[in-house]
């Protein structure tokens, strides 16, 4: 494994939170600020060279000098210190601020240091004499500062909604040469372009603004963030701007076009659910991070990220034509999206509380939404106009569902009733009463003649749609029933209970329980039949999954835990969806924000489940892999493999290796030049595997090595 490149470096672990970190200009040194100390590392081997201490209590900011030989630091003890990187000595201590320091910076010439404090003042310090040459105050709280790379100018942004450019001559501030005005809210960050002719700002209006320094005018206002923009900066060439926001995203903006793209394809928070588009072979995932992401189901590439909601996205639905998506959120809105471009077509407003469910009608001309405001609203599927408000429930409405014919919509509520509504008139046709507690889920049978309701009263009721009469009460669960689904042929009903951890299969005609499926150790979060109806999948809130034979009730595959985090017990979460009827493949999401595709194959009478791909944040996955006696690794890579979960000691010298070890080296060698943003695993579920993942902007390369390590005891998955 000599010269192997893993595409990432080891991480540096600290006992306390890391406040700031940065590279020296030439990249040979790296400084991290943690626990009131500055930790300096050499980047050739990532060994720590110095711990710079002396500030008390905390250090808030650090910066390298232009040639990288010094570090300046600012502290909450009101002082600024200058350090020698080569010796670790403190060269200067600057005293003058009357409150803590929140930012420090070197001038491009390296002869001045600027410090910005909570005392609403900026001080300029001369590094030859150690004197304070100028004090700038009277602008209110100053949020950011930056030296011009080409002129004797320094820029300040402040809470008075302005950016000021000050002329600096011989270390002294003479005049304010420009005021960049136009903001109506506070500015958090400002940065010069490398050429010095532009300034970019970000602030509380969620926008990124580009200013012409000479004219003092705003040339572009770039929108897309849904939260405050906390930090902006230019790329070294000045062709891109990066912005970081409270909406949990980082965006890269083209300076020329003003268009942006996000850096991360990984959901920032738990995945709430998934929907599959057969025509597009596309998966849509929606999350607590307020976004919807569109994935290529074959490759796992994220093609679009739909942003606009300001709260958790609770449900989405594809139109029957699969050209549109509709979503709902706890921001009280419903949004209609173009599934191809990702553009938001309409924002549907009117609900006065969280919107928890939404669905297209069978012909796509209408949308129904359910809300905690106790109402159901019917919307025009093309224009987004509200057609009817269905009032009658006296508690939160959880679910809406259209009948197969599309002439009726059903709603269920915590008030313990199901209501059937006429979609044309908005009139209530039937009120289905009988449950003694709130209803969690309703679903129409495939032929549309029957509806099933699952309740907190531990029962499932089957209702005749025409008469509103109850035909069967399915009793057997020991706790509240949170899921109910019909088989594709409609002959069987499956139900799942949150707390008794079982799935039950019922005969639709007789109401008898044919099978009780045991095995889950945690709360069951989702159940769903495969498109062909031969398999039933169940998924727990901790990532525990099982596949069942729908005809026999036998468990054909189990995944005890996939590493996801719990969903928090939200019964509306459903991070599981089957794909097309032609293949037994499914997509899952988890509490950690990742999305995965699995393929089910039947070999020699047994089902095997293989993970096809997984969205990732670019980290090498090696948990449980044995690297005992692996040869040719650099010291840095040895440390990396141990950090990523490798076990055993790599060999210190090159020699002939066993076939098994060479097999492992062969796999990693194949992967070393890959650059992809999903993990691709095409080995059987019993086959061990190593996966290497790195971010890529354009493509996903899949490593296919089924059987390469078939019998190797050295690597386990």
């Amino acid at each position: 494994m000599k010269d192997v490149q893993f595409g990432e470096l080891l991480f540096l672990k600290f006992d306390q939170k890391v406040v700031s970190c940065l590279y020296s200009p030439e990249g040979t040194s790296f400084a991290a600020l943690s626990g009131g100390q500055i930790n300096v590392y050499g980047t050739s081997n990532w060994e720590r060279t110095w711990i710079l201490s002396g500030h008390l209590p905390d250090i808030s900011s650090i910066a390298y000098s232009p040639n990288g030989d010094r570090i300046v630091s600012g502290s909450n003890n009101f002082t600024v210190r200058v350090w020698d990187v080569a010796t670790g000595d403190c060269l200067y201590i600057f005293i003058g601020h009357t409150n803590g320091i929140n930012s420090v910076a070197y001038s491009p010439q390296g002869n001045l240091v600027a410090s910005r404090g909570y005392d609403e003042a900026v001080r300029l310090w001369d590094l030859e004499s150690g004197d304070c040459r100028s004090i700038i105050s009277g602008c209110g709280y100053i949020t950011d500062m930056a030296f011009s790379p080409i002129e004797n100018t320094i820029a300040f942004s402040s809470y008075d909604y302005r950016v000021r450019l000050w002329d600096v001559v011989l270390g002294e501030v003479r005049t304010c040469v420009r005021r960049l005005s136009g903001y109506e809210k506070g500015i958090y960050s400002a940065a010069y372009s490398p050429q010095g002719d532009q300034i970019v700002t970000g602030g509380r209006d969620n926008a990124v603004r580009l200013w012409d320094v000479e004219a003092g005018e705003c040339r572009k206002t770039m929108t897309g963030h849904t939260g405050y923009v906390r930090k902006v900066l230019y790329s070294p060439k000045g062709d891109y701007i990066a912005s970081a926001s409270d909406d949990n995203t980082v965006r890269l903006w083209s300076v020329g076009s003003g268009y942006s793209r996000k850096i991360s394809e990984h959901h920032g928070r738990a995945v709430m659910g998934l929907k599959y588009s057969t025509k597009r072979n596309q998966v849509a995932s929606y999350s607590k991070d307020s976004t919807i992401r569109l994935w290529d189901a074959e490759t796992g590439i994220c093609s679009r990220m739909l942003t606009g909601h300001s709260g958790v996205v609770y449900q989405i639905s594809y139109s029957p034509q699969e050209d549109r998506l509709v979503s709902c959120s706890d921001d009280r809105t419903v949004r209609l999206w173009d599934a191809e471009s990702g553009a938001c077509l309409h924002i549907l407003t009117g609900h006065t509380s969280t919107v928890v469910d939404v669905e297209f009608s069978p012909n796509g001309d209408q949308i129904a939404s359910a809300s905690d405001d106790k109402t159901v609203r019917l919307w025009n599927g093309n224009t987004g106009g509200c057609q009817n408000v269905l009032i009658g429930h006296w508690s939160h409405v959880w679910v809406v569902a259209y009948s197969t014919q599309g002439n009726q919509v059903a709603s269920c509520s915590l008030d313990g009733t199901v209501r059937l509504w006429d979609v044309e008139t908005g009139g209530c046709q039937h009120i289905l009463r009988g449950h003694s507690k709130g209803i969690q889920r309703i679903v129409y049978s495939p032929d549309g003649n029957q509806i099933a309701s699952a309740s907190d009263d531990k029962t499932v009721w089957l209702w005749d749609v025409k008469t509103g009469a109850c035909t069967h009460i399915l009793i057997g669960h020991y706790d509240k029933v949170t899921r109910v689904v019909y088989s594709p042929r409609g002959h069987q009903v499956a139900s799942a209970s949150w707390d008794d951890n079982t799935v039950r299969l019922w005969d639709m005609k007789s109401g008898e329980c044919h099978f009780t499926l045991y095995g889950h150790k945690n709360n069951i979060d989702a159940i769903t039949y495969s498109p062909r109806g031969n398999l039933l999948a169940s998924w727990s809130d901790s990532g525990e999954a099982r596949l069942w034979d729908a005809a026999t009730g036998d468990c054909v595959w189990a995944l005890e835990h996939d590493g996801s985090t719990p969903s928090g017990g939200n019964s509306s979460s459903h991070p599981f969806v089957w794909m097309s009827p032609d293949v037994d493949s499914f997509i899952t999401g988890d509490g950690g924000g990742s999305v995965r595709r699995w393929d089910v194959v039947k070999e020699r009478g047994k089902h095997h489940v293989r993970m096809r791909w997984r969205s990732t944040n670019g980290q090498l996955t090696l948990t449980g892999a044995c690297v005992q006696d692996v040869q040719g690794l650099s010291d840095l890579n040895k440390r990396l493999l141990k950090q990523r979960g490798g076990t055993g000691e790599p060999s210190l010298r090159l020699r002939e290796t066993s076939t098994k070890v060479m097999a492992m080296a062969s796999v990693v060698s194949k992967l070393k030049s890959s650059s992809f943003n999903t993990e691709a695993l095409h080995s059987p579920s019993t086959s061990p595997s190593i996966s290497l993942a790195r971010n890529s902007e354009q493509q996903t390369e899949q490593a296919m090595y089924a059987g390469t390590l078939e019998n190797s005891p050295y690597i386990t998955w």
Side-chain angles (χ1 to χ4, degrees), residues 292 306-309 313 315-329 331 333-349 358-361 364-369 379-386:
I292 302 163
L306 315 185
T307 60
H309 282 298
V313 181
Q315 188 59 268
I316 62 173
S317 175
Y318 275 101
S319 66
Q321 299 80 15
E322 299 181 8
D323 59 338
R324 288 163 294 155
L325 267 174
V326 65
S327 61
C328 63
S329 168
D331 64 7
T333 69
V334 174
R335 286 178 177 254
L336 190 61
W337 311 84
D338 185 284
E340 177 66 29
S341 67
C344 182
L345 305 175
H346 299 287
I347 303 175
L348 318 183
T349 59
V358 67
E359 185 174 333
F360 269 103
S361 64
D365 63 347
Q366 194 178 70
I367 296 167
S369 59
W379 314 82
N380 185 294
N382 296 310
T383 67
C386 184

Side-chain angles (χ1 to χ4, degrees), residues 450-451 461-464 467 469-473 508-509:
Q450 193 179 72
I451 195 168
W461 291 47
L462 304 183
W463 310 83
D464 185 283
T467 65
C470 176
T471 59
H472 293 291
I473 302 176
M508 192 192 75
K509 291 184 178 180

Side-chain angles (χ1 to χ4, degrees), residues 199-245:
I199 286 178
V200 62
T201 58
R204 299 181 65 178
D205 63 355
N206 305 347
V208 176
R209 294 173 185 261
L210 196 60
W211 304 83
D212 184 285
V213 170
E214 183 64 29
E217 297 177 353
C218 181
R219 298 300 190 191
K220 282 190 179 74
T221 300
M222 297 171 280
T223 59
H225 281 300
T226 57
Y228 295 167
V229 179
R230 296 286 183 176
K231 188 67 177 177
V232 290
L233 60 101
Y234 275 90
S235 64
K237 293 181 180 180
D239 51 349
Y240 282 96
I241 293 168
S243 59
S245 168

Side-chain angles (χ1 to χ4, degrees), residues 501-503 517-522 524-530 535-540 543-549 553-561 576 578 586 588 598 600 607 609:
N501 301 341
T502 66
V503 177
L517 313 181
Y518 297 96
H520 278 285
K521 300 174 184 177
N522 297 287
I524 299 173
D525 198 47
I527 56 171
T528 179
Y529 281 93
S530 64
L535 296 171
L536 178 78
S538 56
W539 204 268
S540 81
E544 173 194 10
R546 292 181 182 269
L547 283 183
W548 312 87
D549 188 306
D554 294 332
C555 181
V556 299
W557 174 78
L559 179 66
E560 295 304 324
H561 187 65
F576 189 108
W578 287 95
F586 57 92
T588 65
W598 308 78
V600 184
H607 289 86
V609 179

